[in-house]
Amino acid sequence: MMNKILPGLCLIQALVVALWAESCSEPPQVPNSVWNIDTSNGTKVTYRCTKGQLFGEQTLFCNASRQWHASPPVCKEACGKPRPIEHAKLQYPADEISVHAVGAKVHYACSLGYYATSGLTESICRHDFTWSDPALVCAPPSSHCMKPRVENGEITSEGKERYSAEDTVTFQCSAGFQLEGSPYVTCTENGGWKPELPKCMKYTTSNMKEFLYHGKKLEDLKPRLELYKLSLEIQKLELEIKQKQEA
Ligand SMILES: *[C@@H]1O[C@H](CO)[C@@H](O)[C@H](O)[C@H]1NC(C)=O
Ligand SMILES: *[C@@H]1O[C@H](CO)[C@@H](O)[C@H](O)[C@H]1NC(C)=O
């Protein structure tokens, strides 16, 4: 009888020892959490918080020296690190803190050479331990110019929603309107147009003299035109005097 049972008992004992040799101590207790053990490929324990948010390693592996590979995580009613935003950085001291209380605010600033095109620079730790989305967009200043718009005018060059620096746009006014300013504008590095956008003025006989003549107002040219007229009159008189002397 004993001879029959003993080999079986020994086998079970050997199995238990073999299993024990491969495993770590009980998984460490983490307040406000539940854990799950998985022995399909080595032994690993995965924690899930029942209250708050998990900080640290979510899964601990039982390593070759039969120790859990890292310290157990903690469950805290707090937010973790705010999410990174492209071309922006968190401002001190938020950049050095990894656990933030509910209601805490952090501030972002666009990196040097970039500027905020939309969104907020502030984010707040909400009651669900997530950060409000600042939706901040930091763009390099030379990125683009928005499509220029001139009332009663249209673009005669290639029409696009965004233009790159050095792109040139040409305008034409609608029928009955006259262009004032430069018909060509160029997109600059800082996202503006140079020179300033032209205007399309309603064409009437009363405002005719206001229109530009080779980039100058006719009114401003008047003294020069009068001087020219005077010089022509002097020439005419000189000619008449000459003709009389010859006669
Ligand atoms: C078992 O775990 C090791 C280390 O964690 C990993 O490299 C390996 O790919 C895993 N094997 C399978 C079959 O999942
Ligand atoms: C197992 O984990 C412990 C705790 O992190 C560590 O000190 C030890 O060096 C690890 N052993 C191996 C073989 O990686």
Side-chain angles (χ1 to χ4, degrees), residues 53-87:
Q53 194 176 205
L54 189 133
F55 288 85
E57 299 282 338
Q58 185 170 24
T59 300
L60 300 183
F61 300 94
C62 182
N63 70 13
S65 46
R66 281 176 282 135
Q67 280 178 294
W68 297 106
H69 89 287
S71 316
V74 287
C75 292
K76 283 187 193 169
E77 293 187 78
C79 287
K81 274 190 178 292
R83 75 170 176 92
I85 291 182
E86 209 179 2
H87 307 308

Side-chain angles (χ1 to χ4, degrees), residues 88-103:
K89 50 186 191 302
L90 277 170
Q91 289 192 303
Y92 181 84
D95 58 339
E96 293 181 355
I97 299 173
S98 48
V99 180
H100 298 260
V102 169

Side-chain angles (χ1 to χ4, degrees), residues 120-243:
L120 303 165
T121 57
E122 187 183 271
S123 179
I124 187 163
C125 174
R126 295 185 291 211
H127 290 276
D128 63 354
F129 319 123
T130 64
W131 290 99
S132 64
D133 186 6
L136 181 65
V137 177
C138 294
S142 59
S143 60
H144 64 265
C145 291
M146 295 309 284
K147 186 181 192 168
R149 286 178 213 284
V150 170
E151 214 177 325
N152 302 310
E154 58 182 346
I155 293 171
T156 55
S157 53
E158 192 193 349
K160 294 193 281 191
E161 279 311 308
R162 284 174 171 219
Y163 293 85
S164 312
E166 304 299 318
D167 278 354
T168 293
V169 167
T170 312
F171 295 98
Q172 194 175 45
C173 290
S174 315
F177 292 85
Q178 178 124 350
L179 193 121
E180 191 182 306
S182 170
Y184 314 100
V185 292
T186 304
C187 174
T188 65
E189 289 283 315
N190 61 19
W193 293 99
K194 209 178 152 185
E196 65 181 75
L197 296 182
K199 287 189 181 101
C200 285
M201 310 288 280
K202 195 155 179 70
Y203 187 94
T204 61
T205 43
S206 64
N207 70 9
M208 241 181 91
K209 65 180 190 305
E210 290 291 322
F211 289 137
L212 297 183
Y213 180 79
H214 292 291
K216 286 200 168 63
K217 282 188 175 177
L218 276 182
E219 238 176 25
D220 298 340
L221 286 175
K222 204 172 151 194
R224 286 173 68 180
L225 289 174
E226 274 173 356
L227 268 179
Y228 184 54
K229 187 180 160 198
L230 209 64
S231 74
L232 287 178
E233 275 173 1
I234 292 167
Q235 274 181 36
K236 190 182 162 199
L237 281 173
E238 280 176 349
L239 264 180
E240 280 174 12
I241 292 167
K242 218 175 168 186
Q243 279 169 355

